[in-house]
Amino acid sequence: MRVEKRAFFDHSPQRTYALELIMTLISVTTLASIDLDQPALIRDLQGDPVVVSRLREIGFVRGEEVVARGRAPFGEPILVELRGAMIALRKGEAACVKL
Amino acid sequence: MRETLVALVGSPNSGKTTLYNWLTGSRFKTVNYPGATVDYSIGRTHERYGESIQIMDTPGTYSLDPKSPDERVTNEAIFNHRLHGASSVVVAVADATHLARQLLVTRQLIEAGFPVVLAVTMSDLLTERHETLDVDALSNELGIPVVLINGRLGGGVDKLVEAIRTQIASSASRPRAAKIEAWTDDKVEATLAVNSAIVARALLPILHQKPRKLSTARERTRRIDRVLLHPAWGLLIFIALMTLLFSSIFWAAAPAMDAVDKGFSWFADYVRNLNPDNLFIEFLSNGVIASMGAVLVFVPQIFILFLGIILLEDSGYLARSATLIDKPLSKLGMGGRSFVPILSGYACAVPAMMAARTINSKRERWLTLFILPLMSCSARLPVYALLLAFLFHGKPAWYAGLALAGIYLLSLVSGGIAALIAGRFLKIEDRSFFMMELPVYRRPKGSLVLRQALTRTSAYLKRAGLPIFTFALIVWVATTFPNAHEKDDTVRLSSSYAAQAGHVIQPVFEPMGGDWRTGVGLMSAFAARETFVSSLAVVFQVATDNEATLKETLMQKMQSAKAPNGYPLFTLSSVIGLIVFFMIALQCLSTVSIAAREGGGWKFALMQLAVFNVVAYALSVGLVQGLRAMGIA
């Protein structure tokens, strides 16, 4: 049992990152975690600067309404409706869009 | 003085290329896949629009802050083109139904100092929604001329040309445009907000008209996507469509191939019978016509492959396929944007490598470029068709069809394995993201699709034609001289230059179960893979039979061919060895040169060349020797 415990608290960088990601996903609603067909307003964009910049250029800006319309097979990419356009995003990119 | 150059710039899928085709009159390039234009092309306006103007089509871009190689192409082309410098006038192209979002790049172009004309496309989709655009209001707000274009019918193009002329006239007095700093997030956000407000004011509902159509293109698209992007059905339909595409290459092409084969056999016979003793006549029939025929037989298959890819592009399904396949491909270190290059790789690696420019991640792009030569390109088709016909001689046609399908699937598997292995050694790291706008489905126009498929097929033929002809000539000379007047064909061949040279290289090909004749075929395949077939046709002098067709004759000659040690030359093991060699070897010099350009230098291209040929040779030798050790000849 001790061995298992140690494995759980092992602070490898990947584990820390994964935990952080999970915490973020739980505490903040993002485009990656909302239910399908539930319209929501974009509150902020956070994450990799290039990804965020491209999201903005495509039209994901504060105050805009987005609806997750479906998921591709294997759970990704997510299909997002934005101003009548359908845009496919991976979970990683969708998680940058805070609602 | 530099000639004025007018550039078309706009978001992916904004209708740029359609507009370009209307302007230039070369109406065979519309594509309904974001990022289909990966290089700029320059043309001239059609004479119906008066004095011609130079027009440049550029890869789609969301902003002047490039994030992938194809967007960098656009930036370079409009600001400092190699020959023309900065464009004199830029036509910003935006889709009427996504106008607010697509105006961003228009704003950036204005800031950069270009004289800009805004062309708003897809006006037919606007009409369908019973809306209209107040062009004058929009023009006043933006401070640039605005023209509404109907891409389906070409309405508004003449007005656009007029507006371009006015801008050219005024551009002389203005300073040239210069690159701008990347916009800050706040600026992008503020601009989008302003654009939305402007567009909201300019878009007006059309009142007092017949009732709105039952469903708009957008609603239809949504309904279709419910099925085509469904987690289970979507995947099934995708697999079914791909299976249909690749299997139709075999069954749909069969009658046409038969006709081409018979026609060329008859022609070769006819020419030979004009004067059987004349050397030049013999060269024409045995050398040129027979080898051209051996390759042209496969044109119907290549045509069908192109037709299928174009149909997928034009309908809008290609963007969906990329989305569906993103997750599985990302497991291999690539992504959804690698799908179109990979699919095009089944036609030809050269355009496929260029299509890889739409991949934004350096790492994914490197891996995609690396594995593309493994995709079973159309130049391999003649080779496989011949070798499989040999293996399954006298058996029902579907045997060979199934085996060919297996080869196509295996090439995908080998690509996946190569990507996994290369990914372990690859040091390049880069962020990977996938964002793709899914365009509305549009019914492909039959005539356009056909014309496009014909253009691509003839481009393939032009590329393949010269090497085939040249090598047919070289191989014929080498197999006929120095004893050209020897009556006995066997003696003439075995004392020829080719045989002499072949004996030198023979030790290399012996472990693969071949002899000098396979060697000559394989060497010539480095000019273009399909010349393997035509070279064998010349080496085995196939046009000497009156009854059977070329393929049949070549088959008979291959069956009776003996290796120097007296054993048959083409056996189960040696033919399988050849197939494996062709599956992996990189034998195409055009691919090597494009790989050097796209992959960032000759180091990449030569490494790729070495890796695939060494692996192909080793696997082929291992397989042949292994099979023989197990008692399979």
Side-chain angles (χ1 to χ4, degrees):
Chain A
M1 286 319 282
R2 275 193 66 190
V3 179
E4 266 177 40
K5 257 186 180 171
R6 192 176 292 156
F8 183 74
F9 289 110
D10 172 21
H11 284 281
S12 67
Q14 289 90 341
R15 181 168 294 269
T16 319
Y17 175 72
L19 280 174
E20 248 172 39
L21 194 71
I22 291 165
M23 292 311 287
T24 325
L25 288 177
I26 294 169
S27 58
V28 185
T29 323
T30 71
L31 196 45
S33 59
I34 54 163
D35 295 332
L36 297 186
D37 299 320
Q38 294 292 318
L41 295 182
I42 298 176
R43 201 161 48 76
D44 198 12
L45 295 179
Q46 276 167 18
D48 182 287
V50 172
V51 173
V52 166
S53 154
R54 177 43 46 93
L55 281 168
R56 215 171 247 124
E57 287 163 0
I58 291 183
F60 287 93
V61 289
R62 269 175 283 191
E64 203 64 60
E65 187 183 279
V66 284
V67 193
R69 287 294 184 191
R71 287 170 211 281
F74 314 110
E76 265 188 292
I78 300 171
L79 308 167
V80 181
E81 191 181 327
L82 171 80
R83 285 177 172 260
M86 198 60 90
I87 298 161
L89 298 176
R90 281 190 199 149
K91 275 185 197 154
E93 287 86 77
C96 296
V97 182
K98 317 289 178 197
L99 306 171
Chain B
M1 209 191 99
R2 281 167 168 172
E3 201 192 333
T4 49
L5 178 65
V6 176
L8 303 183
V9 178
S11 303
N13 254 353
S14 56
K16 247 179 316 88
T17 303
T18 314
L19 183 57
Y20 176 75
N21 289 336
W22 279 114
L23 283 167
T24 57
S26 62
R27 289 183 288 136
F28 42 71
K29 263 188 68 192
T30 48
V31 166
N32 200 0
Y33 170 78
T37 311
V38 289
D39 208 349
Y40 61 81
S41 46
I42 294 183
R44 305 194 139 272
T45 50
H46 195 265
E47 54 203 19
R48 67 171 162 263
Y49 305 119
E51 194 192 335
S52 83
I53 308 169
Q54 247 191 148
I55 300 277
M56 174 167 70
D57 186 23
T58 60
T61 183
Y62 285 104
S63 75
L64 293 184
D65 177 17
K67 292 180 176 66
S68 60
D70 60 323
E71 294 180 359
R72 238 158 267 143
V73 168
T74 299
N75 236 29
E76 281 307 302
I78 59 169
F79 283 111
N80 30 20
H81 185 274
R82 208 161 32 84
L83 298 174
H84 305 284
S87 302
S88 324
V89 170
V90 172
V91 177
V93 187
D95 174 348
T97 56
H98 300 300
L99 196 52
R101 293 189 302 117
Q102 297 193 348
L103 278 182
L104 182 72
V105 68
T106 312
R107 295 285 196 168
Q108 293 180 330
L109 288 165
I110 296 172
E111 187 184 283
F114 287 110
V116 180
V117 179
L118 175 64
V120 179
T121 58
M122 322 245 178
S123 68
D124 52 328
L125 293 184
L126 214 54
T127 317
E128 192 187 71
R129 293 193 339 206
H130 278 198
E131 282 182 316
T132 183
L133 186 73
D134 186 342
V135 173
D136 295 330
L138 190 61
S139 170
N140 280 336
E141 301 251 27
L142 292 171
I144 53 170
V146 178
V147 182
L148 200 56
I149 305 280
N150 180 336
R152 292 244 124 177
L153 303 170
V157 180
D158 42 352
K159 276 191 199 156
L160 176 65
V161 176
E162 251 172 67
I164 292 172
R165 278 190 214 286
T166 317
Q167 286 289 51
I168 290 176
S170 74
S171 73
S173 56
R174 294 168 64 150
R176 286 258 160 173
K179 276 193 188 177
I180 52 167
E181 294 277 310
W183 281 17
T184 60
D185 294 345
D186 289 341
K187 194 166 177 185
V188 170
E189 214 155 275
T191 309
L192 280 169
V194 174
N195 288 347
S196 302
I198 292 178
V199 171
R201 283 198 291 274
L203 272 183
L204 308 170
I206 306 175
L207 300 171
H208 313 300
Q209 264 210 351
K210 57 186 180 213
R212 194 162 161 269
K213 250 170 80 178
L214 282 177
S215 64
T216 61
R218 190 177 284 176
E219 286 154 5
R220 279 194 301 277
T221 299
R222 195 125 322 154
R223 274 205 302 277
I224 299 171
D225 272 342
R226 263 184 225 294
V227 181
L228 292 189
L229 289 176
H230 186 273
W233 296 122
L235 203 61
L236 274 176
I237 293 171
F238 173 74
I239 293 169
L241 275 174
M242 291 300 132
T243 315
L244 181 72
L245 171 62
F246 285 106
S247 60
S248 67
I249 293 173
F250 310 122
W251 56 262
M257 290 174 72
D258 212 35
V260 175
D261 197 17
K262 287 216 171 79
F264 269 88
S265 308
W266 175 85
F267 188 39
D269 262 357
Y270 173 79
V271 171
R272 199 170 46 85
N273 287 334
L274 290 178
N275 185 353
D277 295 324
N278 185 305
L279 257 186
F280 180 70
I281 294 284
E282 197 202 309
F283 163 66
L284 275 185
S285 67
N286 277 1
V288 178
I289 299 172
S291 41
M292 278 293 178
V295 173
L296 283 178
V297 160
F298 303 99
V299 166
Q301 295 188 319
I302 289 155
F303 176 75
I304 289 175
L305 182 65
F306 282 137
L307 196 68
I309 293 180
I310 292 164
L311 277 175
L312 290 179
E313 277 178 4
D314 284 8
S315 62
Y317 187 69
L318 217 49
R320 273 81 182 174
S321 326
T323 304
L324 286 171
I325 207 76
D326 178 62
K327 184 83 181 181
L329 281 180
S330 66
K331 294 275 179 216
L332 298 172
M334 295 177 287
R337 288 197 184 266
S338 308
F339 174 72
V340 172
I342 289 173
L343 184 66
S344 322
Y346 278 91
C348 177
V350 173
M353 285 194 165
M354 290 180 58
R357 284 182 191 172
T358 59
I359 304 173
N360 43 51
S361 154
K362 285 197 191 82
R363 186 183 170 83
E364 286 176 10
R365 184 156 177 266
W366 193 100
L367 286 172
T368 309
L369 285 174
F370 182 71
I371 66 153
L372 277 177
L374 288 173
M375 298 307 117
S376 193
C377 71
S378 51
R380 284 166 166 122
L381 202 54
V383 179
Y384 293 147
L386 176 72
L387 295 176
L388 289 175
F390 178 85
L391 279 186
F392 298 103
H393 192 65
K395 300 218 172 68
W398 63 269
Y399 274 64
L402 205 65
L404 197 53
I407 290 177
Y408 272 65
L409 207 62
L410 262 180
S411 80
L412 202 60
V413 173
S414 65
I417 295 171
L420 281 178
I421 296 175
R424 296 204 141 244
F425 296 102
L426 185 61
K427 293 213 174 59
I428 304 171
E429 290 297 336
D430 198 3
R431 75 179 65 71
S432 151
F433 62 89
F434 179 82
M435 299 177 204
M436 186 168 289
E437 266 191 79
L438 306 178
V440 293
Y441 286 108
R442 311 217 78 178
R443 189 192 302 274
K445 270 194 173 173
S447 58
L448 276 178
V449 170
L450 270 181
R451 212 175 329 176
Q452 245 185 108
L454 281 174
T455 313
R456 291 200 200 173
T457 310
S458 71
Y460 163 84
L461 274 181
K462 270 180 211 148
R463 185 189 60 75
L466 190 66
I468 292 167
F469 180 81
T470 319
F471 265 79
L473 178 66
I474 295 172
V475 174
W476 181 81
V477 168
T479 51
T480 308
F481 293 93
N483 298 318
H485 292 288
E486 173 66 51
K487 284 283 173 236
D488 187 341
D489 285 346
T490 324
V491 176
R492 184 169 80 173
L493 187 61
S494 55
S495 65
S496 67
Y497 291 127
Q500 288 165 27
H503 287 297
V504 180
I505 52 169
Q506 185 156 310
V508 180
F509 297 104
E510 258 170 9
M512 280 175 65
D515 73 345
W516 69 271
R517 285 169 291 192
T518 356
V520 168
L522 283 176
M523 297 309 285
S524 65
F526 275 86
R529 289 184 177 94
E530 55 273 65
T531 37
F532 177 76
V533 177
S534 57
S535 295
L536 281 191
V538 179
V539 170
F540 288 108
Q541 297 179 312
V542 289
T544 50
D545 198 303
N546 287 331
E547 298 299 319
T549 59
L550 292 171
K551 215 165 123 194
E552 203 56 32
T553 322
L554 184 52
M555 208 68 63
Q556 286 166 8
K557 297 258 180 176
M558 282 170 67
Q559 269 159 349
S560 58
K562 296 268 189 285
N565 57 9
Y567 284 104
L569 182 58
F570 293 99
T571 61
L572 184 62
S573 62
S574 77
V575 171
I576 291 179
L578 277 174
I579 291 177
V580 168
F581 186 81
F582 271 96
M583 282 181 70
I584 298 176
L586 206 182
Q587 296 160 295
C588 172
L589 296 180
S590 346
T591 305
V592 177
S593 70
I594 205 89
R597 206 178 82 193
E598 300 294 323
W602 284 100
K603 201 176 140 202
F604 172 78
L606 294 175
M607 180 278 296
Q608 195 177 31
L609 181 71
V611 166
F612 285 135
N613 284 311
V614 169
V615 171
Y617 183 72
L619 269 182
S620 168
V621 168
L623 201 67
V624 171
Q625 297 305 326
L627 282 173
R628 295 205 165 156
M630 291 191 307
I632 300 163

